[in-house]
Amino acid sequence: MYYLLLLLLLLRHNTGYDFFTSAGLKASDLQLRFCTNETQLNREAFVDKLKSLGFDISVSEVFSPAPAAVAVLKERGFRPHLLVYDGLLPEFDSVDKTNPNCVVIGDAAEKFTYQNLNEAFRVLIGLEKPVLFSLGGGRYYKEGDGLALDVGAYMKALEYACDLKAEVVGKPSPTFFQSVLNDMGLQPHEALMIGDDLVNDVGGAQNCGMKGLQVRTGKYRWVMF
Amino acid sequence: MYYLLLLLLLLRHNTGYDFFTSAGLKASDLQLRFCTNETQLNREAFVDKLKSLGFDISVSEVFSPAPAAVAVLKERGFRPHLLVYDGLLPEFDSVDKTNPNCVVIGDAAEKFTYQNLNEAFRVLIGLEKPVLFSLGGGRYYKEGDGLALDVGAYMKALEYACDLKAEVVGKPSPTFFQSVLNDMGLQPHEALMIGDDLVNDVGGAQNCGMKGLQVRTGKYRWVMF
């Protein structure tokens, strides 16, 4: 029997609702998790948005890069210097941030100032072994008034300046999928990942030992094949 | 007979003065050019600084990435969108900047805002063939209150977001050295490059067919060998 990891990039693509409801997944006895790379909203705000769209879900069912990062930080004894969107800060409330020994960046948007980037850089370059966590590796995304650089671009800037390779927390990182599996108490072969992104969803899950199911909605384009 | 290309990273390293004067180069009949990767000051301001340190030089003897970029832009019909330090803008006065078909970035310091970077990115991503010129590829440098990200870091951010490779104008780019040679009306074998940076000065010159001479002052460290 498969348990279910369900990914829907609902907010940006406005799809998946029919799939979600018509499949009757919510009414089944399958375990569900929603896996998103959202890093501007904390889970409470994310769930509120989904609820306003008619979804019956709870915070405990949502998995995003921030809580995954928190788990990694605690497990490995890291105290982060944070460069993230203000709305995401509550996710890190339980983490010791004194005397930082790593840097975590998310899609900080207008908080990606010259001063804030220099500050993050100085923390990194001052460490004996600089460690950078990036909450995703996206190149850019569409916002209200046009395209905007995503966290991946700033990750590359810091990687180059510090001559290091960032650890990406979020899809398609195996660490991300494994943290969701850990939360569910499942082995990879017991889980199925459903998504509209061939690389980040289906490919990422398969690299982690899970099965992946590609839907032809959302960002799916037939030219991907 | 060799003509002379003289590089001295004087301002940042506060060296070279003795070499410059004791060698009597200025009094000789050798042609001189000062090659610097300075991109926060225009040449007038740069020369003023050197004069205040006791140097007898003129603007026409200074070669920096901005005028080299101007030559390349005009030669190839590029109209730049500029993301550079305000002090550098006068260097681009003679360049047509309407309806941009490329982006030029320099060490823009506090002008590297989220908005300005998105603006440069949008220009690039909107072009059929995006072209990015970077006035140097430095990782970071020291400023008054600590280390700061240099233009190379922001170049990498835009390269990643747009999936392109920037053209670096400045040392050690062959284009940069060639533009100085063109200005002097010399062939590479007729010129000698003197510098304190093994990669950017000596190596760059040698890759361009010039002779290179390493001085053991300035940023020179014996561990480089």
Side-chain angles (χ1 to χ4, degrees):
Chain A
M1 177 184 178
Y2 286 120
Y3 293 88
L4 196 65
L5 290 172
L6 178 61
L7 170 144
L8 297 171
L9 287 167
L10 298 157
L11 294 180
R12 287 195 181 148
H13 304 288
N14 199 26
T15 61
Y17 183 74
D18 292 343
F19 174 78
F20 181 72
T21 52
S22 64
L25 293 174
K26 189 68 187 177
S28 74
D29 61 353
L30 294 167
Q31 281 195 67
L32 293 180
R33 292 293 184 279
F34 293 80
C35 305
T36 172
N37 266 4
E38 172 68 51
T39 64
Q40 285 200 352
L41 297 173
N42 63 30
R43 281 168 297 174
E44 282 72 16
F46 182 76
V47 164
D48 285 346
K49 265 203 172 181
L50 288 183
K51 281 183 173 172
S52 74
L53 293 171
F55 286 88
D56 172 26
I57 66 168
S58 64
V59 169
S60 63
E61 291 173 313
V62 174
F63 232 82
S64 58
V70 168
V72 171
L73 294 169
K74 289 182 175 177
E75 186 183 319
R76 293 165 58 184
F78 280 117
R79 302 176 304 276
H81 170 89
L82 297 173
L83 179 47
V84 301
Y85 205 73
D86 282 343
L88 201 67
L89 286 172
E91 296 277 13
F92 293 88
D93 279 349
S94 67
V95 179
D96 180 9
K97 293 176 280 287
T98 58
N99 189 22
N101 58 0
C102 75
V103 167
V104 174
I105 60 170
D107 174 23
E110 63 267 21
K111 283 188 68 182
F112 277 133
T113 63
Y114 178 66
Q115 288 75 14
N116 285 346
L117 282 164
N118 279 344
E119 195 181 344
F121 163 68
R122 289 169 187 170
V123 170
L124 283 171
I125 208 74
L127 296 171
E128 192 177 351
K129 291 182 182 175
V131 176
L132 172 64
F133 293 99
S134 184
L135 305 180
R139 295 170 187 267
Y140 59 89
Y141 58 88
K142 194 174 186 314
E143 60 174 12
D145 60 343
L147 298 178
L149 293 170
D150 202 353
V151 61
Y154 294 95
M155 173 187 80
K156 288 293 173 186
L158 291 172
E159 281 187 346
Y160 178 70
C162 302
D163 196 21
L164 57 75
K165 184 79 181 162
E167 296 186 35
V168 177
V169 183
K171 300 174 295 182
S173 157
T175 310
F176 180 74
F177 288 113
Q178 191 56 56
S179 65
V180 185
L181 291 171
N182 292 347
D183 183 64
M184 302 174 87
L186 297 179
Q187 297 298 310
H189 69 275
E190 297 175 299
L192 171 68
M193 174 74 187
I194 303 172
D196 64 353
D197 189 310
L198 186 64
V199 175
N200 288 317
D201 302 334
V202 178
Q206 289 175 341
N207 287 338
C208 197
M210 299 160 58
K211 286 201 184 303
L213 182 64
Q214 170 80 48
V215 294
R216 298 192 177 188
T217 58
K219 73 167 71 171
Y220 170 82
R221 297 288 180 274
W222 67 269
V223 290
M224 292 168 75
F225 297 99
Chain B
M1 176 185 179
Y2 287 120
Y3 293 87
L4 196 64
L5 290 170
L6 178 60
L7 170 143
L8 296 171
L9 287 167
L10 297 158
L11 293 180
R12 288 196 181 147
H13 303 289
N14 199 27
T15 60
Y17 183 73
D18 291 343
F19 174 80
F20 180 72
T21 52
S22 63
L25 293 173
K26 189 70 188 177
S28 74
D29 61 352
L30 294 167
Q31 281 196 68
L32 293 180
R33 291 295 184 277
F34 293 80
C35 305
T36 172
N37 265 6
E38 172 66 52
T39 65
Q40 284 201 352
L41 296 173
N42 63 30
R43 281 168 297 176
E44 283 72 14
F46 182 76
V47 164
D48 286 346
K49 266 204 173 182
L50 288 183
K51 281 183 173 171
S52 73
L53 292 170
F55 286 88
D56 172 27
I57 67 169
S58 65
V59 169
S60 63
E61 290 173 313
V62 173
F63 232 82
S64 58
V70 167
V72 171
L73 294 169
K74 289 182 176 177
E75 186 183 319
R76 292 163 60 184
F78 280 117
R79 303 177 304 277
H81 170 87
L82 298 174
L83 178 47
V84 302
Y85 205 72
D86 281 344
L88 200 69
L89 285 172
E91 296 277 14
F92 294 88
D93 278 350
S94 67
V95 179
D96 179 8
K97 293 176 278 289
T98 58
N99 190 23
N101 58 1
C102 75
V103 167
V104 174
I105 60 170
D107 175 22
E110 62 267 21
K111 282 187 70 181
F112 277 133
T113 63
Y114 178 66
Q115 288 74 16
N116 285 346
L117 282 164
N118 278 344
E119 196 180 345
F121 164 68
R122 289 169 187 170
V123 170
L124 283 171
I125 207 75
L127 296 171
E128 192 176 350
K129 292 181 181 175
V131 176
L132 172 63
F133 293 99
S134 184
L135 305 180
R139 295 169 186 266
Y140 60 89
Y141 58 88
K142 194 172 187 313
E143 61 174 12
D145 59 342
L147 298 177
L149 292 170
D150 202 353
V151 61
Y154 294 96
M155 173 187 80
K156 287 294 172 184
L158 291 171
E159 281 187 347
Y160 178 71
C162 302
D163 196 20
L164 57 75
K165 184 79 181 162
E167 295 186 36
V168 177
V169 183
K171 298 175 295 180
S173 156
T175 311
F176 179 74
F177 288 112
Q178 191 56 56
S179 66
V180 184
L181 291 170
N182 291 347
D183 183 64
M184 301 174 87
L186 297 180
Q187 296 299 311
H189 69 275
E190 296 175 299
L192 170 68
M193 174 74 187
I194 303 172
D196 63 353
D197 188 311
L198 186 65
V199 175
N200 288 318
D201 301 335
V202 178
Q206 289 175 340
N207 286 338
C208 197
M210 298 161 57
K211 287 202 186 299
L213 181 63
Q214 170 80 48
V215 295
R216 298 190 177 189
T217 58
K219 73 166 74 171
Y220 169 82
R221 297 288 181 274
W222 67 268
V223 290
M224 293 167 76
F225 295 99

